[in-house]
Amino acid sequence: MKQTMHNTRVRWVLGILIALTLAFIWGNSMQSRAVSGGMSGSLKTWLEQLLHTEISEFLLRKAAHFSEYGLLGVEFSLLLGLQYDKTGKNLQCGRNLLDFPLIGMLCAVTDETIQIFSGRGSLVSDVWIDTAGFSTGFFLTVLLFLFINHCKKSRVTGNRKG
């Protein structure tokens, strides 16, 4: 009972984090070209001062796309880690695992569509970068879960032998 209540709270928190991440991503897409360029320029200047090296604004913008969608992928993966099917099996081990990058792609397509209406234009390459970021964050988190579960099982079976 206590574990179920904890999982419900964590699910709510993750749902709110996902909503906030999407609001951040899509909110930035609603900015005009001038405002978006100003934000990128400010970040570029700050990073160049911090790292003492020149940074390409193009690469910075693409890295931002990849990173924010990577975070979204981590959040979705954590949420999936708390979901179980009717038999009690964790969904991170199910065959539907490959369906989840489609969620990232749908979010990316929505993002690029918003940019059309904000006058900034849309790039198919950004959809692919966003989807790659989402998939990377998602699957690295799944692999981390699998590794942790493997270590737990190894520790339990190791204790039985000793």
Side-chain angles (χ1 to χ4, degrees), residues 20-37:
L20 289 173
T21 302
L22 285 171
F24 174 79
I25 292 170
W26 293 341
N28 283 332
S29 291
M30 291 180 196
Q31 302 296 326
S32 68
R33 188 180 306 269
V35 170
S36 177

Side-chain angles (χ1 to χ4, degrees), residues 3 7 10-11 14 76-98 100 138 141-149 152-153:
Q3 183 66 27
N7 282 352
V10 172
R11 281 188 203 116
L14 286 169
F76 268 99
S77 186
L78 291 172
L79 184 61
L80 181 64
L82 297 172
Q83 306 298 321
Y84 297 88
D85 66 13
K86 294 175 185 174
T87 65
K89 186 175 180 182
N90 187 286
L91 291 181
Q92 277 192 334
C93 299
R95 67 169 180 79
N96 296 329
L97 198 57
L98 294 177
F100 283 88
F138 183 87
T141 306
V142 168
L143 289 173
L144 182 62
F145 267 94
L146 292 173
F147 178 73
I148 290 169
N149 286 336
K152 284 181 182 178
K153 287 178 184 177

Side-chain angles (χ1 to χ4, degrees), residues 35-101:
V35 170
S36 177
M39 289 170 53
S40 294
S42 297
L43 180 61
K44 178 181 180 291
T45 301
W46 180 78
L47 284 173
E48 287 175 342
Q49 290 173 353
L50 179 72
L51 301 173
H52 303 290
T53 188
E54 190 173 325
I55 296 173
S56 161
E57 187 169 342
F58 174 80
L59 290 178
L60 178 66
R61 293 177 78 87
K62 300 310 170 191
H65 272 269
F66 188 89
S67 300
E68 59 195 16
Y69 276 88
L71 174 63
L72 190 62
V74 168
E75 293 166 348
F76 268 99
S77 186
L78 291 172
L79 184 61
L80 181 64
L82 297 172
Q83 306 298 321
Y84 297 88
D85 66 13
K86 294 175 185 174
T87 65
K89 186 175 180 182
N90 187 286
L91 291 181
Q92 277 192 334
C93 299
R95 67 169 180 79
N96 296 329
L97 198 57
L98 294 177
D99 294 343
F100 283 88

